[in-house]
Amino acid sequence: MIPAALNAREYRVVTDAGIQSSAGLAARAASGLGWSLVGFAVRAGASVGINILLARLLGPEPFGLVAIAMIVIALAGLLVDSGLSVQLIRNATLSTRTVRGVFTLQMLLGLVLAVAIILLTPLITAIVKQDSARPVIRALAFMLVIVSAGQTSTALLRRDLRFKAIQKIQIISYLIGYGALGIPLAYAGAGVWTLVWAQVTQAAICTIMSWALIRHSLLPYIGPESAALLRFGSFLAGSNVVSWSIGAMPSFLIGRTLGPAALGLYNRAYMLVAVPLTALSAPIQTVSLSLYSRLQEDEATVRKAFLCIMAVVALVAVPFCLLMAGTAGTAIDAILGRKWSAAAPILVPLAFAMSFDAIAAVCSPLLISRGRPDLDLHTQVIAAASGGLSLAVAGLMSSSLLGFTWTVCICLYLVRAATAIIFVQRVLCIPFGNIARALCGGLLLGVLELTTTGALNT
């Protein structure tokens, strides 16, 4: 633990000494990835189990209302950070002013955005045509302030490769928020407020525990460094916002066109494949960003590391997604229950979509670490433009929920993965044949699984 009294120079020495005394960067990265994967796997398992129970107790509509609210809250959460945390991770040394500047900017952004959302709630609910979501949106807006208070400490933990501590924080906060509080509230008939209080509680515990481990100064600071931080993070913020739109567009259009019940079906089917894959891709993104940043001058090692990471992700993500696609009906009935059986067809295109998403997730930290956040932004813009136009056409044609979902799969997620691979190939000068070989193992295993499940179901 870093004591609260440490000044900027002391914090820099402690951090650098810890890195220099390690057995090597590869060992530290492997250890960090291992802890991240274990932590995410535990949290994903707990999340799936708790969400199944909550889904059975609450039904589709509460999840649909929260999904509508989270469209706005998720966007604001990206703006709160604005790429500031990534800069703390990438910088070789830090001063107290830099840390205080990042914390101050994140808190100010959190407060401003929370107030803005509360004031604009009537307009937001009018746009999505769901007045019942109004109190939910306003309640979750306060969560932005709580989250912004903990982002600086979390970034400093990531910078120091303390992924074991990060995973403990996330697991404990989730189990308390959704398990210890959410499940009793659901049994008590709290309805949608079960999910609201669970999220707010989880965020508060996560913030408190993170700051307890790295007690940086809470004194506000705005100076020349603050302007530079915002300028540097503008591409990352833009990329995150456009990436948010890729996830938000389907929910927005489905909720507006087909209503909360259809959105609830889409949301739960999405979570069945997205949560386990997040347990894989999120820690890899986090650790690989630090790894690539430390290997700025070693292009050959970066190429090898990228291809190895892509091969591992493909070998795990693609077979899992295609297995879920081949057993969609059985999976929905067994996990969520028969009242969710209408979600089974939706799970098939979403499973394919999440396999593409896992591949794109590998590319993003590589582009950012190589100083090309602009290409990451271009990737998101191309996918958003393709998906937005296609979904608008689907909406005008009054497509079914299944039609919307296949459009999401092909025009959003497939386009994004293909674009990201092209940009990475240009930055690292990797032959496409090498990338294809890295993906080959996962694709072959996934096709074999899909073929087998199809034969068993006939």
Side-chain angles (χ1 to χ4, degrees):
M1 180 185 297
I2 297 177
L6 284 184
N7 60 28
R9 191 166 301 169
E10 289 170 326
Y11 175 76
R12 186 183 65 243
V13 170
V14 168
T15 302
D16 292 348
I19 293 173
Q20 293 169 1
S21 63
S22 65
L25 180 59
R28 289 179 64 87
S31 175
L33 180 58
W35 279 112
S36 296
L37 288 172
V38 170
F40 270 83
V42 171
R43 192 155 57 95
S47 175
V48 170
I50 291 173
N51 271 282
I52 290 170
L53 180 56
L54 291 176
R56 289 177 177 271
L57 292 172
L58 300 176
E61 189 162 346
F63 285 96
L65 291 173
V66 170
I68 291 172
M70 289 306 298
I71 294 173
V72 181
I73 303 302
L75 171 60
L78 296 175
L79 295 175
V80 164
D81 184 65
S82 295
L84 297 170
S85 293
V86 171
Q87 295 176 72
L88 291 180
I89 296 168
R90 294 186 73 247
N91 288 345
T93 58
L94 292 176
S95 67
T96 291
R97 286 186 175 182
T98 301
V99 176
R100 287 171 57 195
V102 169
F103 175 73
T104 302
L105 289 172
Q106 289 175 331
M107 285 299 299
L108 287 174
L109 288 168
L111 287 167
V112 170
L113 289 168
V115 171
I117 289 174
I118 291 171
L119 295 176
L120 293 173
T121 296
L123 176 62
I124 295 169
T125 54
I127 292 173
V128 298
K129 297 182 179 180
Q130 294 296 331
D131 287 339
S132 54
R134 185 175 299 186
V136 177
I137 294 173
R138 284 176 170 164
L140 289 176
F142 289 103
M143 190 172 65
L144 292 172
V145 180
I146 299 172
V147 170
S148 64
Q151 285 182 323
T152 299
S153 291
T154 300
L156 294 174
L157 287 170
R158 291 175 58 189
R159 182 177 185 271
D160 288 348
L161 300 177
R162 297 172 65 182
F163 296 105
K164 180 179 178 180
I166 292 172
Q167 294 309 314
K168 285 183 176 180
I169 290 169
Q170 293 180 344
I171 291 170
I172 291 171
S173 62
Y174 183 84
L175 290 177
I176 293 175
Y178 280 86
L181 180 64
I183 292 175
L185 285 175
Y187 273 108
V192 68
W193 294 104
T194 297
L195 304 176
V196 172
W197 283 111
Q199 290 201 44
V200 172
T201 301
Q202 181 190 12
I205 293 173
C206 190
T207 291
I208 293 169
M209 292 182 69
S210 298
W211 189 80
L213 290 177
I214 293 190
R215 302 180 189 179
H216 61 82
S217 174
L218 302 180
L219 294 175
Y221 173 76
I222 297 290
E225 297 92 339
S226 303
L229 288 169
L230 286 175
R231 285 195 300 271
F232 185 83
S234 60
F235 279 116
L236 292 177
S239 179
N240 288 336
V241 170
V242 180
S243 179
W244 163 87
S245 73
I246 290 175
M249 276 190 293
S251 295
F252 173 81
L253 289 173
I254 290 170
R256 179 182 174 85
T257 306
L258 304 176
L263 180 56
L265 293 172
Y266 177 90
N267 180 262
R268 289 302 90 188
Y270 175 87
M271 292 300 292
L272 282 180
V273 284
V275 168
L277 285 183
T278 299
L280 173 69
S281 61
I284 289 178
Q285 282 186 306
T286 301
V287 176
S288 63
L289 175 62
S290 299
L291 178 63
Y292 296 146
S293 297
R294 301 292 176 84
L295 296 171
Q296 292 288 348
E297 305 302 324
D298 193 347
E299 291 287 337
T301 303
V302 170
R303 292 189 193 99
K304 292 178 181 178
F306 173 77
L307 291 172
C308 180
I309 290 171
M310 174 169 280
V312 171
V313 169
L315 194 61
V316 176
V318 176
F320 168 77
C321 290
L322 295 189
L323 180 62
M324 291 295 290
T327 61
T330 303
I332 291 293
D333 288 344
I335 297 173
L336 298 181
R338 291 193 175 277
K339 67 180 178 181
W340 289 83
S341 59
I346 309 307
L347 182 58
V348 176
L350 285 176
F352 280 95
M354 291 304 100
S355 66
F356 303 140
D357 190 52
I359 300 303
V362 175
C363 301
S364 182
L366 185 283
L367 294 173
I368 293 170
S369 69
R370 308 317 287 172
R372 298 305 306 268
D374 56 319
L375 293 183
D376 189 53
L377 174 59
H378 294 161
T379 299
Q380 311 300 339
V381 169
I382 291 170
S386 170
L389 179 61
S390 302
L391 286 170
V393 172
L396 291 174
M397 296 176 63
S398 301
S399 293
S400 64
L401 179 58
L402 183 60
F404 269 109
T405 312
W406 274 113
T407 303
V408 168
C409 172
I410 297 170
C411 299
L412 277 174
Y413 289 100
L414 177 58
V415 168
R416 180 163 65 174
T419 306
I421 289 174
I422 291 171
F423 283 141
V424 166
Q425 188 274 333
R426 291 179 181 176
V427 169
L428 292 183
C429 300
I430 302 176
F432 280 114
N434 291 358
I435 296 176
R437 281 192 291 272
L439 297 173
C440 186
L443 290 172
L444 290 176
L445 183 57
V447 170
L448 179 62
E449 285 185 345
L450 188 61
T451 303
T452 303
T453 54
L456 292 175
N457 289 332
T458 56

